[in-house]
Amino acid sequence: MIPPTHRQIRLAARPTGYPRDDDFRIVESPVPEPGSGEFLVRVVYLSLDPYMRGRMSDARSYVPPVAVGDVMEGGIVGEVVRSSHPGFAVGDVVEGRLGWQEYALSSGKGVRRIDPALAPISTALGVLGMPGLTAYFGLLDVGQPKAGETVVVSAASGAVGGLVGQIAKLKGCRAVGLAGTDAKARYLTEELGYDAGINYRTAPNLDAALQATCPGGIDVYFDNVGGRITEAVSRHVNMFARFAVCGLISQYNLTEPELAPRNERFVLVNRVRIQGFLVFDFAARYKEGLARLAEWLRQGRLRYREDIVEGLERAPGALTDLLQGRNFGKMLVRVGPDPVVAHGATGRAS
Ligand SMILES: NC(=O)c1ccc[n+]([C@@H]2O[C@H](COP(=O)([O-])OP(=O)(O)OC[C@H]3O[C@@H](n4cnc5c(N)ncnc54)[C@H](OP(=O)(O)O)[C@@H]3O)[C@@H](O)[C@H]2O)c1
């Protein structure tokens, strides 16, 4: 039963510092009717991701921001409920960037069909989606780890970082993760197979903790956070170390950028390669990445964790939680009932 109207979350104002509830507005809008070549999707899961903070700002970036008044941008998994499109049928489960709303119209551009038999459909926003591909290509292509090397990962328990450490282990590396609570640091070693986990918030001395957990030095740093953690890591690098710069979450909500890392000498004397990347750089190879991730998942060699909040109206608060480290695992909003779980076809992995 499709209702006549649905809820959307629109950007109301550009935030200063961390986003606040009044930077968003919930709007009731008519559910659109698909024209020829279009289909209507009922949103089941909305992905919340750190990049959304960037889309709320008009600072120059790699894509234009969301305009004030527009529906917030976001990846979703949903179910096709009406279709006038030859390639998508009612009942198909799809993933695409269709925004913070309960129903969305699509022409099919940038939308892919999900196989619900493969894994819970929410994984299309996590291990079998953008975060998984980021971990896979960022570590293997940018970081270029070799067996026996030490890989350090920041935001290591999150959607991307949780997978980076596991892939590093699959490649025969030593993996050390930094995370913001004791429970997260324990999860790294007890559940994900990291060799060591450091709570960077409570470690009395980050240098001593890195020294103790990386006695042979650091060869690859998968940087999700930037700032003072990156500066500490830089003091422990080996010759020809590689920094795969994936994200700078410690900086996204600052009104003045932090002046770190300040010790560029480490780049010169150790001939370090620092390379930023965006997952889109590897778009031509997504099929390869997803196939490999799905194979590892099927073999039980990759674990993941989801942090799901209920109801579209909770998305703004959940985004701020994510930006402040209050999530534990891939942050999702359940916008409506999961059609696959509802039919009892699959359970939730962890
Ligand atoms: N380059 C790309 O194409 C690409 C694609 C996807 C994601 N990313 C980036 O990858 C990073 C991780 O994204 P994700 O989706 O996997 O998020 P996530 O790790 O699931 O969640 C974000 C985590 O960042 C940590 N964090 C927040 N503030 C921090 C601070 N001030 N200092 C240190 N850590 C902080 C928190 O964990 P703790 O409790 O451990 O601090 C929080 O749980 C982000 O920087 C994101 O922008 C880049």
Side-chain angles (χ1 to χ4, degrees):
M1 179 63 185
I2 300 166
T5 62
H6 73 129
R7 292 180 305 168
Q8 300 177 313
I9 297 187
R10 295 173 177 263
L11 181 64
R14 301 213 179 277
T16 308
Y18 286 99
R20 300 181 332 181
D21 281 356
D22 54 9
D23 295 323
F24 303 90
R25 201 174 42 193
I26 301 191
V27 176
E28 194 78 27
S29 300
V31 171
E33 194 59 47
S36 170
E38 292 181 330
F39 55 94
L40 182 70
V41 177
R42 177 179 71 79
V43 174
V44 178
Y45 295 103
L46 165 67
S47 176
L48 294 180
D49 297 274
Y51 76 79
M52 290 167 173
R53 179 62 186 84
R55 298 292 197 281
M56 298 176 78
S57 155
D58 56 9
R60 190 174 150 262
S61 190
Y62 53 93
V63 284
V66 174
V68 172
D70 276 3
V71 174
M72 275 292 294
E73 182 180 335
I76 65 100
V77 161
E79 179 185 26
V80 176
V81 288
R82 276 185 188 142
S83 183
S84 300
H85 190 295
F88 292 88
V90 169
D92 283 352
V93 179
V94 295
E95 181 269 337
R97 289 206 171 200
L98 299 182
W100 294 28
Q101 50 190 341
E102 291 174 315
Y103 286 85
L105 212 51
S106 173
S107 64
K109 188 164 176 276
V111 171
R112 64 181 168 126
R113 226 188 328 265
I114 301 305
D115 176 3
L118 203 58
I121 61 173
S122 54
T123 58
L125 299 170
V127 54
L128 299 183
M130 186 274 281
L133 291 165
T134 303
Y136 180 84
F137 290 114
L139 179 65
L140 298 181
D141 279 68
V142 183
Q144 300 189 352
K146 296 171 202 64
E149 289 190 329
T150 295
V151 175
V152 170
V153 186
S154 49
S157 74
V160 175
L163 298 168
V164 174
Q166 295 180 83
I167 298 171
K169 291 305 294 177
L170 286 169
K171 295 293 169 187
C173 297
R174 177 174 173 77
V176 174
L178 294 135
T181 67
D182 286 345
K184 288 181 180 180
R186 270 197 312 276
Y187 168 72
L188 298 179
T189 52
E190 291 173 6
E191 302 279 332
L192 300 184
Y194 271 84
D195 295 284
I198 300 170
N199 179 346
Y200 69 89
R201 288 188 201 270
T202 57
N205 180 334
L206 209 45
D207 279 298
L210 287 165
Q211 183 73 51
T213 53
C214 308
I218 297 166
D219 301 292
V220 177
Y221 175 45
F222 193 101
D223 190 2
N224 281 316
V225 306
R228 74 176 187 92
I229 292 177
T230 300
E231 181 165 298
V233 167
S234 71
R235 289 191 282 266
H236 300 270
V237 292
N238 287 334
M239 206 69 87
F240 301 106
R242 286 82 66 202
F243 280 31
V245 181
C246 174
L248 300 171
I249 195 165
S250 74
Q251 310 296 298
Y252 294 168
N253 295 282
L254 300 182
T255 43
E256 285 292 323
E258 203 179 334
L259 291 180
R262 295 164 297 187
N263 48 347
E264 280 182 309
R265 189 171 175 274
F266 84 95
V267 180
L268 177 66
V269 298
N270 298 294
R271 286 77 129 186
V272 174
R273 176 165 61 74
I274 302 179
Q275 188 183 332
F277 71 96
L278 293 172
V279 65
F280 316 117
D281 300 339
F282 299 94
R285 292 173 53 203
Y286 280 176
K287 214 172 147 196
E288 165 205 325
L290 287 174
R292 179 57 66 87
L293 290 161
E295 187 189 336
W296 284 333
L297 192 63
R298 208 173 33 245
Q299 294 168 344
R301 300 170 87 188
L302 282 185
R303 297 174 75 97
Y304 66 95
R305 185 181 169 114
E306 295 175 328
D307 190 340
I308 303 180
V309 302
E310 301 287 340
L312 182 68
E313 69 285 358
R314 292 188 58 198
L319 177 62
T320 303
D321 283 349
L322 170 78
L323 294 169
Q324 296 189 341
R326 286 195 291 266
N327 64 311
F328 193 168
K330 170 65 206 154
M331 187 61 122
L332 296 170
V333 179
R334 195 176 355 246
V335 176
D338 182 327
V340 184
V341 170
H343 296 154
T346 177
R348 184 162 298 286
S350 73

